[in-house]
Amino acid sequence: YLPLPKEEILTRTHCSGYCREEEPGECRIEEFVKPLMKLTNFFAACSSGVRWSYRRGDEIDYYNPYRVKKIVLQIRSPFSVVLSRYKRFQEKRGIKATVAGFFSYCKNHDITYGEKYKTTFYTPEEMAFADDMQCHGEFYRVLKWYNKAFEVAAFLKIKPMLFYFEDYFDDLDGNVDKLFDYVGLERHPKCELPFDTQYEPMKEALLYFTKDHLAATHGFIDTIISPEVREAYSRYEY
């Protein structure tokens, strides 16, 4: 084992916002949407991380969230996030990702979760756009997650460092060096970079949506996101 750092320890958490379905309905609303509704619940969900042990493999561990000194927040276009989740889903099933397949994936998702989302969580303004979208529930979770992430940072009085997903692709080593500098850790010369640098450029991701779907999704996004998320998303041209 390497000695523990003298200062901060870098941990990773999905703050209850991550679930990759193997079967429809596997990501339960109670576990992956309700924590996004209330700051205290989201805050508690963030205070966990995955550690690995030789005996038991991956384990979820919890820590005191009030000890957090710095926050690194990865930003990614919501269109790319939703498309990536579809492609990962297809990859698990050994099926090639296609535009038609994405339409089907979103239709199944909206059937499985759509009415529950709309009747339980959506405001009338959000409802007005949802029926003309694809995967509105997926977008809802992504957008609400970012809203709450910035709320947590404000609650802790910490200005988060924003890392954009595509920047890893453009300059992986340089951005990882910035990450290590920010958290006060020394990067080992033989450090392997555990990042998946395969991503869909924005223009490619948008090809999976019709013009009508895009228009409705833009309205949905604008209705939900906070000013902080709007600023973080400003580099993306929808």
Side-chain angles (χ1 to χ4, degrees), residues 150-162:
F150 278 100
E151 284 184 40
V152 165
F155 175 73
L156 292 174
K157 296 181 172 60
I158 297 173
K159 183 178 180 179
M161 187 173 195
L162 306 186

Side-chain angles (χ1 to χ4, degrees), residues 132-158:
D132 296 321
M133 291 173 57
Q134 294 187 107
C135 284
H136 59 80
E138 289 276 75
F139 277 96
Y140 185 76
R141 283 168 48 187
V142 172
L143 302 172
K144 295 291 283 189
W145 190 97
Y146 277 112
N147 281 356
K148 282 292 179 286
F150 278 100
E151 284 184 40
V152 165
F155 175 73
L156 292 174
K157 296 181 172 60
I158 297 173

Side-chain angles (χ1 to χ4, degrees), residues 161-178:
M161 187 173 195
L162 306 186
F163 271 73
Y164 287 85
F165 186 85
E166 57 271 17
D167 288 351
Y168 288 123
F169 183 83
D170 296 330
D171 182 15
L172 180 57
D173 281 297
N175 282 284
V176 171
D177 285 340
K178 291 178 184 178

Side-chain angles (χ1 to χ4, degrees), residues 10-218:
L10 182 63
T11 64
R12 183 185 72 168
T13 175
H14 291 105
C15 294
S16 189
Y18 180 81
C19 179
R20 184 184 302 164
E21 289 184 316
E22 300 295 337
E23 298 293 337
E26 191 171 345
C27 298
R28 298 193 303 164
I29 289 176
E30 291 77 9
E31 296 175 359
F32 297 100
V33 178
K34 287 188 176 180
L36 305 178
M37 300 296 106
K38 193 174 181 181
L39 177 61
T40 52
N41 292 345
F42 187 81
F43 186 44
C46 289
S47 60
S48 64
V50 178
R51 67 174 179 175
W52 185 86
S53 70
Y54 283 103
R55 292 184 179 180
R56 293 179 292 272
D58 288 340
E59 296 179 312
I60 297 178
D61 206 358
Y62 295 89
Y63 54 85
N64 181 354
Y66 292 97
R67 296 181 62 185
V68 173
K69 297 295 193 303
K70 297 178 180 180
I71 296 174
V72 179
L73 183 56
Q74 181 171 286
I75 307 295
R76 189 176 184 183
S77 158
F79 291 92
S80 294
V81 173
V82 172
L83 179 58
S84 176
R85 284 176 56 80
Y86 157 67
K87 288 190 172 183
R88 294 289 189 183
F89 179 75
Q90 294 296 84
E91 183 181 303
K92 279 282 188 178
R93 301 166 65 201
I95 301 175
K96 183 179 178 181
T98 63
V99 173
F102 180 65
F103 279 38
S104 177
Y105 169 84
C106 286
K107 182 178 180 180
N108 290 335
H109 188 278
D110 292 338
I111 290 174
T112 304
Y113 300 106
E115 290 305 315
K116 181 70 173 181
Y117 276 49
K118 289 191 289 186
T119 58
T120 307
F121 304 112
Y122 290 3
T123 65
E125 292 79 9
E126 293 159 1
M127 287 273 290
F129 294 106
D131 286 336
D132 296 321
M133 291 173 57
Q134 294 187 107
C135 284
H136 59 80
E138 289 276 75
F139 277 96
Y140 185 76
R141 283 168 48 187
V142 172
L143 302 172
K144 295 291 283 189
W145 190 97
Y146 277 112
N147 281 356
K148 282 292 179 286
F150 278 100
E151 284 184 40
V152 165
F155 175 73
L156 292 174
K157 296 181 172 60
I158 297 173
K159 183 178 180 179
M161 187 173 195
L162 306 186
F163 271 73
Y164 287 85
F165 186 85
E166 57 271 17
D167 288 351
Y168 288 123
F169 183 83
D170 296 330
D171 182 15
L172 180 57
D173 281 297
N175 282 284
V176 171
D177 285 340
K178 291 178 184 178
L179 172 62
F180 273 70
D181 290 342
Y182 174 71
V183 298
L185 297 177
E186 183 178 353
R187 181 177 169 185
H188 193 279
K190 295 183 179 180
C191 172
E192 294 183 5
L193 304 177
F195 299 108
D196 180 0
T197 58
Q198 297 181 5
Y199 81 104
E200 302 77 24
M202 192 65 186
K203 291 183 179 179
E204 180 180 327
L206 296 183
L207 294 176
Y208 282 74
F209 300 84
T210 68
K211 289 183 179 180
D212 290 341
H213 291 149
L214 286 175
T217 307
H218 296 162

